[in-house]
Protein backbone atom coordinates (compact mmCIF):
# COMPACT_ATOMS: atom_id res chain seq x y z
CA UNK A 1 0.00 0.00 0.00
CA UNK A 2 1.30 3.46 -0.91
CA UNK A 3 1.33 5.92 2.02
CA UNK A 4 0.99 9.70 2.12
CA UNK A 5 4.50 10.16 3.45
CA UNK A 6 6.06 8.33 0.52
CA UNK A 7 4.29 10.22 -2.23
CA UNK A 8 3.47 13.66 -0.75
CA UNK A 9 -0.05 15.07 -0.87
CA UNK A 10 -3.04 13.60 0.95
CA UNK A 11 -5.90 11.56 -0.45
CA UNK A 12 -9.41 11.70 1.03
CA UNK A 13 -12.32 9.65 -0.30
CA UNK A 14 -16.00 10.20 0.47
CA UNK A 15 -18.20 7.13 0.70
CA UNK A 16 -21.76 6.38 1.72
CA UNK A 17 -25.21 5.53 0.46
CA UNK A 18 -27.17 7.62 -2.04
CA UNK A 19 -28.26 11.02 -0.84
CA UNK A 20 -25.91 10.99 2.13
CA UNK A 21 -24.57 14.42 1.10
CA UNK A 22 -21.18 13.49 -0.38
CA UNK A 23 -21.35 16.01 -3.25
CA UNK A 24 -22.57 18.79 -0.96
CA UNK A 25 -19.88 18.10 1.65
CA UNK A 26 -16.93 17.54 -0.67
CA UNK A 27 -17.35 21.02 -2.12
CA UNK A 28 -17.73 22.59 1.29
CA UNK A 29 -14.61 20.84 2.54
CA UNK A 30 -12.64 21.87 -0.56
CA UNK A 31 -13.62 25.51 0.00
CA UNK A 32 -12.63 25.41 3.69
CA UNK A 33 -9.27 23.79 2.98
CA UNK A 34 -8.50 26.16 0.11
CA UNK A 35 -9.32 29.09 2.43
CA UNK A 36 -6.66 27.78 4.80
CA UNK A 37 -4.10 27.82 1.98
CA UNK A 38 -4.09 24.17 0.91
CA UNK A 39 -3.86 23.21 -2.76
CA UNK A 40 -7.01 21.12 -3.20
CA UNK A 41 -8.35 19.11 -6.13
CA UNK A 42 -11.88 17.71 -6.14
CA UNK A 43 -12.98 14.88 -8.38
CA UNK A 44 -15.69 12.25 -8.66
CA UNK A 45 -16.35 8.68 -9.71
CA UNK A 46 -17.26 7.47 -12.17
CA UNK A 47 -15.76 10.41 -14.07
CA UNK A 48 -13.09 13.02 -13.51
CA UNK A 49 -11.35 12.33 -16.85
CA UNK A 50 -12.56 12.48 -20.44
CA UNK A 51 -12.69 8.68 -20.66
CA UNK A 52 -14.33 8.41 -17.23
CA UNK A 53 -17.04 10.94 -18.11
CA UNK A 54 -17.75 8.88 -21.27
CA UNK A 55 -18.05 5.69 -19.21
CA UNK A 56 -20.37 7.40 -16.67
CA UNK A 57 -23.57 7.43 -18.78
CA UNK A 58 -23.07 3.77 -19.76
CA UNK A 59 -23.13 2.89 -16.07
CA UNK A 60 -25.74 5.28 -14.75
CA UNK A 61 -28.08 5.96 -17.67
CA UNK A 62 -30.72 3.69 -19.16
CA UNK A 63 -29.24 3.58 -22.71
CA UNK A 64 -26.96 0.55 -22.26
CA UNK A 65 -29.77 -1.57 -20.83
CA UNK A 66 -29.16 -4.12 -18.07
CA UNK A 67 -25.48 -4.67 -17.24
CA UNK A 68 -24.07 -7.79 -15.63
CA UNK A 69 -22.40 -7.42 -12.23
CA UNK A 70 -19.00 -8.01 -13.83
CA UNK A 71 -19.61 -5.46 -16.62
CA UNK A 72 -20.40 -2.91 -13.91
CA UNK A 73 -17.38 -3.84 -11.83
CA UNK A 74 -14.99 -3.61 -14.78
CA UNK A 75 -16.43 -0.35 -16.14
CA UNK A 76 -16.29 1.38 -12.74
CA UNK A 77 -12.76 0.05 -12.30
CA UNK A 78 -11.67 1.13 -15.79
CA UNK A 79 -12.85 4.69 -15.09
CA UNK A 80 -10.94 4.58 -11.78
CA UNK A 81 -7.71 3.28 -13.33
CA UNK A 82 -7.76 6.22 -15.75
CA UNK A 83 -8.55 8.70 -12.97
CA UNK A 84 -5.67 7.46 -10.81
CA UNK A 85 -3.23 7.55 -13.69
CA UNK A 86 -4.27 10.87 -15.20
CA UNK A 87 -5.36 12.91 -12.17
CA UNK A 88 -5.02 11.50 -8.66
CA UNK A 89 -1.46 10.19 -8.62
CA UNK A 90 0.11 13.18 -10.46
CA UNK A 91 -1.65 15.64 -8.16
CA UNK A 92 -0.60 13.74 -5.03
CA UNK A 93 2.95 13.71 -6.35
CA UNK A 94 2.73 17.51 -6.61
CA UNK A 95 1.78 17.60 -2.92
CA UNK A 96 -1.91 18.46 -3.39
CA UNK A 97 -4.88 17.35 -1.30
CA UNK A 98 -7.12 15.22 -3.51
CA UNK A 99 -10.77 14.80 -2.49
CA UNK A 100 -12.63 12.08 -4.37
CA UNK A 101 -16.41 11.54 -4.37
CA UNK A 102 -16.37 7.68 -4.19
CA UNK A 103 -13.39 5.39 -4.89
CA UNK A 104 -12.54 1.65 -4.76
CA UNK A 105 -14.65 1.09 -1.63
CA UNK A 106 -17.74 1.90 -3.74
CA UNK A 107 -16.96 -1.05 -6.01
CA UNK A 108 -16.52 -3.29 -2.97
CA UNK A 109 -19.78 -1.99 -1.48
CA UNK A 110 -21.96 -2.06 -4.62
CA UNK A 111 -20.54 -4.77 -6.85
CA UNK A 112 -19.11 -6.85 -3.98
CA UNK A 113 -21.56 -6.67 -1.07
CA UNK A 114 -24.48 -5.47 -3.24
CA UNK A 115 -24.19 -7.65 -6.36
CA UNK A 116 -22.41 -10.55 -4.68
CA UNK A 117 -19.08 -10.70 -6.57
CA UNK A 118 -16.52 -12.33 -4.32
CA UNK A 119 -14.92 -9.64 -2.14
CA UNK A 120 -11.37 -10.90 -2.28
CA UNK A 121 -11.54 -10.91 -6.10
CA UNK A 122 -12.82 -7.33 -6.04
CA UNK A 123 -10.05 -6.28 -3.62
CA UNK A 124 -7.35 -7.75 -5.87
CA UNK A 125 -8.86 -6.06 -8.93
CA UNK A 126 -8.84 -2.68 -7.17
CA UNK A 127 -5.27 -3.11 -5.96
CA UNK A 128 -4.10 -4.00 -9.48
CA UNK A 129 -6.09 -1.28 -11.28
CA UNK A 130 -4.89 1.49 -8.96
CA UNK A 131 -1.36 0.12 -8.44
CA UNK A 132 -2.18 -0.05 -4.75
CA UNK A 133 -3.24 3.56 -4.31
CA UNK A 134 -5.39 3.66 -1.15
CA UNK A 135 -6.92 6.79 0.40
CA UNK A 136 -5.19 8.20 3.48
CA UNK A 137 -8.61 8.92 4.96
CA UNK A 138 -12.07 7.65 4.01
CA UNK A 139 -15.13 9.46 5.32
CA UNK A 140 -18.26 7.34 5.61
CA UNK A 141 -21.29 9.61 5.49
CA UNK A 142 -23.65 7.48 7.49
CA UNK A 143 -27.35 7.76 6.70
CA UNK A 144 -30.07 5.08 6.76
CA UNK A 145 -30.90 3.85 3.25
CA UNK A 146 -34.51 5.04 3.21
CA UNK A 147 -33.54 8.54 4.40
CA UNK A 148 -30.92 8.86 1.66
CA UNK A 149 -33.19 7.62 -1.12
CA UNK A 150 -35.93 10.00 0.04
CA UNK A 151 -33.55 12.94 -0.54
CA UNK A 152 -33.18 12.09 -4.27
CA UNK A 153 -36.05 13.34 -6.45
CA UNK A 154 -37.67 10.50 -8.45
CA UNK A 155 -36.70 11.98 -11.84
CA UNK A 156 -33.06 12.31 -10.71
CA UNK A 157 -32.71 8.64 -9.73
CA UNK A 158 -30.07 6.76 -11.78
CA UNK A 159 -29.96 3.06 -12.69
CA UNK A 160 -28.40 2.06 -9.37
CA UNK A 161 -30.61 4.34 -7.25
CA UNK A 162 -33.57 2.35 -8.63
CA UNK A 163 -32.26 -0.96 -7.23
CA UNK A 164 -34.25 -2.73 -4.50
CA UNK A 165 -34.10 -1.65 -0.87
CA UNK A 166 -32.56 -5.07 -0.08
CA UNK A 167 -29.68 -4.26 -2.46
CA UNK A 168 -29.10 -0.87 -0.82
CA UNK A 169 -29.23 -2.48 2.64
CA UNK A 170 -26.48 -4.92 1.62
CA UNK A 171 -24.39 -1.97 0.40
CA UNK A 172 -25.00 -0.12 3.67
CA UNK A 173 -24.05 -3.16 5.79
CA UNK A 174 -20.96 -3.60 3.58
CA UNK A 175 -19.82 -0.06 4.30
CA UNK A 176 -20.04 -0.65 8.02
CA UNK A 177 -18.16 -3.93 7.73
CA UNK A 178 -15.36 -2.25 5.73
CA UNK A 179 -15.14 0.65 8.20
CA UNK A 180 -14.81 -1.80 11.09
CA UNK A 181 -12.13 -3.77 9.24
CA UNK A 182 -9.83 -0.76 8.73
CA UNK A 183 -10.54 1.65 11.60
CA UNK A 184 -7.27 3.55 11.05
CA UNK A 185 -8.45 4.71 7.60
CA UNK A 186 -12.22 5.17 8.03
CA UNK A 187 -14.08 7.85 10.00
CA UNK A 188 -17.86 7.80 10.26
CA UNK A 189 -19.92 10.97 10.22
CA UNK A 190 -23.59 11.20 11.14
CA UNK A 191 -25.01 12.48 7.84
CA UNK A 192 -28.56 12.85 9.18
CA UNK A 193 -27.58 16.09 10.95
CA UNK A 194 -27.93 19.56 9.48
CA UNK A 195 -25.49 20.15 6.56
CA UNK A 196 -23.58 22.84 8.55
CA UNK A 197 -23.05 20.45 11.47
CA UNK A 198 -21.89 17.70 9.10
CA UNK A 199 -19.49 20.12 7.37
CA UNK A 200 -17.89 21.20 10.69
CA UNK A 201 -17.42 17.61 11.80
CA UNK A 202 -15.82 16.64 8.47
CA UNK A 203 -13.46 19.62 8.59
CA UNK A 204 -12.48 18.70 12.16
CA UNK A 205 -11.71 15.09 11.14
CA UNK A 206 -9.73 16.08 8.06
CA UNK A 207 -7.66 18.72 9.90
CA UNK A 208 -6.89 16.16 12.60
CA UNK A 209 -5.75 13.64 9.95
CA UNK A 210 -3.61 16.28 8.21
CA UNK A 211 -2.00 17.24 11.52
CA UNK A 212 -1.24 13.59 12.24
CA UNK A 213 0.33 13.22 8.77
CA UNK A 214 2.38 16.38 9.39
CA UNK A 215 0.78 18.26 6.49
CA UNK A 216 0.49 22.04 6.80
CA UNK A 217 -0.84 24.51 4.18
CA UNK A 218 2.41 26.38 3.51
CA UNK A 219 4.33 23.16 2.90
CA UNK A 220 1.70 22.01 0.43
CA UNK A 221 1.87 25.22 -1.56
CA UNK A 222 5.61 25.13 -1.84
CA UNK A 223 5.70 21.35 -2.58
N1 LIG B 1 -21.23 3.12 -7.92
C1 LIG B 1 -21.01 1.75 -7.97
O1 LIG B 1 -21.97 0.96 -8.01
N2 LIG B 1 -19.74 1.28 -7.99
C2 LIG B 1 -18.66 2.12 -8.00
O2 LIG B 1 -17.52 1.65 -8.04
C3 LIG B 1 -18.90 3.54 -7.98
C4 LIG B 1 -20.20 3.99 -7.94
C5 LIG B 1 -17.75 4.50 -8.01
C6 LIG B 1 -22.91 7.00 -8.70
O3 LIG B 1 -23.92 7.89 -8.76
C7 LIG B 1 -23.60 5.64 -8.56
O4 LIG B 1 -22.70 4.61 -8.94
C8 LIG B 1 -23.97 5.39 -7.13
C9 LIG B 1 -22.99 4.32 -6.66
C10 LIG B 1 -22.61 3.64 -7.92
N3 LIG B 1 -25.28 4.86 -7.13
N4 LIG B 1 -26.16 4.56 -6.52
N5 LIG B 1 -27.20 4.20 -6.23
P1 LIG B 1 -23.76 9.45 -8.53
O5 LIG B 1 -22.34 9.82 -8.61
O6 LIG B 1 -24.71 10.11 -9.46
O7 LIG B 1 -24.43 9.61 -7.13
P2 LIG B 1 -24.07 9.20 -5.67
O8 LIG B 1 -22.60 9.08 -5.49
O9 LIG B 1 -24.88 8.03 -5.28
O10 LIG B 1 -24.51 10.48 -4.88
P3 LIG B 1 -25.94 11.14 -4.83
O11 LIG B 1 -27.03 10.14 -4.77
O12 LIG B 1 -26.02 12.12 -5.93
O13 LIG B 1 -25.93 11.85 -3.45
P4 LIG B 1 -24.80 12.53 -2.57
O14 LIG B 1 -23.73 13.10 -3.42
O15 LIG B 1 -24.39 11.62 -1.50
O16 LIG B 1 -25.62 13.69 -1.90
P5 LIG B 1 -25.87 15.22 -2.37
O17 LIG B 1 -26.05 15.29 -3.86
O18 LIG B 1 -24.91 16.10 -1.75
O19 LIG B 1 -27.26 15.45 -1.65
C11 LIG B 1 -28.45 14.80 -2.07
C12 LIG B 1 -29.67 15.67 -1.68
O20 LIG B 1 -29.73 15.77 -0.26
C13 LIG B 1 -29.58 17.12 -2.20
O21 LIG B 1 -30.86 17.56 -2.50
C14 LIG B 1 -29.01 17.89 -1.01
O22 LIG B 1 -29.37 19.23 -1.02
C15 LIG B 1 -29.64 17.14 0.15
N6 LIG B 1 -28.80 17.15 1.36
C16 LIG B 1 -27.44 17.08 1.45
N7 LIG B 1 -27.04 17.12 2.73
C17 LIG B 1 -28.16 17.21 3.48
C18 LIG B 1 -28.40 17.26 4.90
N8 LIG B 1 -27.40 17.24 5.79
N9 LIG B 1 -29.67 17.33 5.31
C19 LIG B 1 -30.70 17.34 4.43
N10 LIG B 1 -30.56 17.30 3.07
C20 LIG B 1 -29.30 17.22 2.61
Amino acid sequence: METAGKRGGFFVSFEGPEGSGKSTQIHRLAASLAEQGHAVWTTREPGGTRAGEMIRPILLGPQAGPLSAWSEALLFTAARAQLVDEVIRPRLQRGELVLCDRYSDSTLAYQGYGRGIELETMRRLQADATAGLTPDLTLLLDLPVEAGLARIPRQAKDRLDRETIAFHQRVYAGYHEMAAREPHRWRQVDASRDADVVASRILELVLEALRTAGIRPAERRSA
Side-chain angles (χ1 to χ4, degrees):
M1 197 203 299
E2 211 180 340
T3 62
K6 270 192 207 155
R7 59 163 143 73
F10 199 81
F11 181 19
V12 182
S13 62
F14 279 64
E15 296 286 351
E18 292 58 53
S20 52
K22 297 177 299 301
S23 314
T24 306
Q25 294 298 335
I26 204 167
H27 291 112
R28 293 186 64 152
L29 175 65
S32 303
L33 292 171
E35 224 168 75
Q36 297 195 8
H38 287 283
V40 189
W41 186 260
T42 302
T43 189
R44 69 165 180 183
E45 287 207 2
T49 64
R50 200 159 154 207
E53 292 296 334
M54 290 171 82
I55 292 172
R56 187 176 172 90
I58 303 177
L59 281 160
L60 303 184
Q63 298 87 346
L67 292 175
S68 75
W70 266 104
S71 299
E72 271 183 10
L74 292 172
L75 284 166
F76 278 118
T77 307
R80 177 168 310 125
Q82 189 64 28
L83 184 65
V84 167
D85 204 54
E86 203 177 305
V87 177
I88 302 181
R89 196 183 299 280
R91 289 193 174 271
L92 290 173
Q93 280 167 350
R94 292 207 289 270
E96 296 183 19
L97 307 190
V98 176
L99 313 181
C100 193
D101 190 343
R102 298 193 178 280
Y103 189 64
S104 297
D105 297 304
S106 282
T107 306
L108 288 168
Y110 285 82
Q111 282 66 51
Y113 290 94
R115 297 279 190 231
I117 301 182
E118 206 229 341
L119 290 170
E120 227 13 77
T121 311
M122 280 295 93
R123 283 197 189 97
R124 275 199 307 274
L125 178 68
Q126 298 317 305
D128 288 345
T130 64
L133 184 69
T134 307
D136 298 297
L137 173 68
T138 297
L139 296 164
L140 173 55
L141 271 63
D142 189 16
L143 185 70
V145 167
E146 288 84 353
L149 289 172
R151 285 183 184 174
I152 313 287
R154 194 178 162 66
Q155 65 280 11
K157 286 194 183 345
D158 63 40
R159 202 171 55 78
L160 281 129
D161 291 333
R162 291 170 197 271
E163 271 295 334
T164 61
I165 292 288
F167 170 84
H168 289 292
Q169 296 289 10
R170 288 197 296 279
V171 170
Y172 182 81
Y175 271 129
H176 284 270
E177 205 172 296
M178 288 192 286
R181 199 181 135 109
E182 282 184 90
H184 57 282
R185 172 163 69 93
W186 291 75
R187 293 288 176 275
Q188 293 185 38
V189 177
D190 179 356
S192 68
R193 312 281 303 275
D194 179 83
D196 289 342
V197 176
V198 179
S200 317
R201 180 64 185 138
I202 287 176
L203 182 60
E204 196 175 84
L205 289 169
V206 171
L207 291 178
E208 184 189 306
L210 291 176
R211 262 195 310 275
T212 305
I215 291 176
R216 285 180 296 143
E219 286 171 18
R220 295 301 97 204
R221 272 188 302 188
S222 61

